[in-house]
Amino acid sequence: MDHGDSGMNQRSYMTQPAAGASQSAATSADAFTLANVSFAAGGRTLLHPLDLAIERASVTGLVGHNGSGKSTLVKLLARQMLPTTGAVAWNSRKLADWHSRDLAREIAYLPQQTPATDGMTVRELVALGRYPWHGALGRFTATDKAHVENAMRDADVAHYATRLVDSLSGGERQRAWLAMLVAQDCQCMLLDEPTSALDIAHQLTVLELVRTLCKTRNMTAVVVLHDINMAARFCDRIVALREGRLLLSAHADEIIDSTALEAIYGVPMRVSIDTTSGRRLGFPA
């Protein structure tokens, strides 16, 4: 086994600007840009001021221990919460300047706890993704129907379109929710721990689907994940947070480093090379 110690000083991850963090004006390759963004509530700072750029048409993983600020950050990207300081921009336009319906046509958000779907079929759930395009009183058109059918096909849920969502397995249900986001015809998916309640097989299926959708539809995805090896396998870039601070932002293949992993999780970590796939894998020492 080849251990990947780099000899880098762990302290540097906490004291230097994060690798790849946005320190200048947004570029055409950036989907999101965050400038001096922080969030505080109830007298506590949940996210300390940070600058960050998230690339367009890529999968970015948010990692870190519980309470590191991952969900806070993704909610700020989704405009579910407003920053205490600074500004978040999507496509070079501040989120605060977007009309709600226009933003919903661009960005889709899937929270950790999805709403109840009592008595709802998969097709009915996926059709909810068309709401930003026709509204509550709008007419469901042939175009809307085509988007729903295409989304179910792309997410591989068309074969149980008439089944109740609540009758599906966890992995099948997550694919149905992803199909709803695809039907929204959005440019970006924000997913808060979409694999947390799934077994390994379904985790692989869901994350492979996210990656495939981004590739085939030229979409951007930001995914909150706990498993660093899954993040490195399926994400193009990884953003790591610790105690509400931006620790580092780097290409996924640069994250699996014992010093970087110890800085992220606060415990000694080791790295090995999988002899079959050649992937670097991190695990506690």
Side-chain angles (χ1 to χ4, degrees), residues 9-31:
N9 185 344
Q10 176 181 334
R11 184 179 177 83
S12 67
Y13 283 101
M14 299 300 294
T15 59
Q16 300 299 320
S22 175
Q23 302 295 326
S24 57
T27 73
S28 60
D30 296 332

Side-chain angles (χ1 to χ4, degrees), residues 33-56:
T33 52
L34 295 83
N36 195 39
V37 168
S38 70
F39 182 79
R44 292 180 56 227
T45 298
L46 302 180
L47 196 67
H48 294 268
L50 60 82
D51 297 311
L52 179 67
I54 294 176
E55 292 181 358
R56 190 184 315 280

Side-chain angles (χ1 to χ4, degrees), residues 6 40 78 85 101 113 117 139 147 178-179 192 219 223 260 275:
S6 68
T85 65
R101 178 173 290 184
Q113 301 296 325
T117 55
R139 187 168 61 89
H147 277 291
L178 288 174
D192 194 351
M219 295 172 67
V223 189
T275 55

Side-chain angles (χ1 to χ4, degrees), residues 29-34 52-56 58 60 62 73 77 220-222 239:
D30 296 332
F32 284 103
T33 52
L34 295 83
L52 179 67
I54 294 176
E55 292 181 358
R56 190 184 315 280
S58 66
T60 296
L62 299 183
L73 178 54
L77 296 178
T220 302
V222 180
V239 172

Side-chain angles (χ1 to χ4, degrees), residues 12-279:
S12 67
Y13 283 101
M14 299 300 294
T15 59
Q16 300 299 320
S22 175
Q23 302 295 326
S24 57
T27 73
S28 60
D30 296 332
F32 284 103
T33 52
L34 295 83
N36 195 39
V37 168
S38 70
F39 182 79
R44 292 180 56 227
T45 298
L46 302 180
L47 196 67
H48 294 268
L50 60 82
D51 297 311
L52 179 67
I54 294 176
E55 292 181 358
R56 190 184 315 280
S58 66
V59 182
T60 296
L62 299 183
V63 302
H65 59 75
N66 289 338
S68 61
K70 303 185 300 296
S71 292
T72 298
L73 178 54
V74 81
K75 287 176 182 177
L76 291 173
L77 296 178
R79 207 172 72 177
Q80 298 293 306
M81 303 188 308
L82 300 178
T84 302
T85 65
V88 181
W90 162 256
N91 281 343
S92 301
R93 181 180 172 189
K94 291 180 180 179
L95 288 187
D97 295 339
W98 285 83
H99 185 277
S100 294
R101 178 173 290 184
D102 291 339
L103 188 63
R105 292 176 177 181
E106 298 274 327
I107 298 172
Y109 168 62
L110 188 64
Q112 288 185 38
Q113 301 296 325
T114 53
T117 55
D118 297 345
M120 187 178 294
T121 67
V122 170
R123 179 176 278 111
E124 289 169 341
L125 173 63
V126 177
L128 292 179
R130 298 305 300 163
Y131 181 84
W133 297 91
H134 61 73
L137 301 179
R139 187 168 61 89
F140 198 80
T141 66
T143 298
D144 293 317
K145 182 178 179 180
H147 277 291
V148 169
E149 297 302 319
N150 290 338
M152 289 195 298
R153 179 202 64 212
D154 289 353
D156 194 26
V157 298
H159 52 293
Y160 45 77
T162 59
R163 285 182 56 184
L164 294 178
V165 176
D166 290 345
S167 73
L168 304 178
S169 70
E172 291 168 339
R173 195 156 48 242
Q174 282 298 78
R175 295 213 317 267
W177 280 103
L178 288 174
M180 187 199 74
L181 268 57
V182 173
Q184 197 167 324
D185 198 26
C186 61
Q187 297 298 309
C188 177
M189 296 186 295
L190 302 174
L191 311 174
D192 194 351
E193 297 191 31
T195 62
S196 61
L198 304 181
D199 59 34
I200 291 177
H202 283 115
Q203 289 180 41
L204 291 169
T205 299
V206 168
L207 292 176
E208 183 63 46
L209 173 59
V210 171
R211 187 165 182 82
T212 299
L213 289 171
C214 287
K215 182 176 180 181
T216 58
R217 290 174 169 260
N218 203 37
M219 295 172 67
T220 302
V222 180
V223 189
V224 176
L225 294 168
H226 276 294
D227 189 323
I228 188 64
N229 293 313
M230 287 289 192
R233 178 171 178 173
F234 290 101
C235 299
D236 300 297
R237 292 188 66 85
I238 293 178
V239 172
L241 300 172
R242 185 171 181 185
E243 298 175 353
R245 291 180 170 83
L246 176 62
L247 191 62
L248 58 92
S249 173
H251 290 287
D253 58 4
E254 299 172 354
I255 291 290
I256 306 300
D257 167 89
S258 59
T259 306
L261 295 179
E262 183 171 347
I264 295 169
Y265 294 107
V267 297
M269 299 287 289
R270 302 179 73 180
V271 172
S272 66
I273 307 297
D274 181 81
T275 55
T276 301
S277 66
R279 294 191 187 96

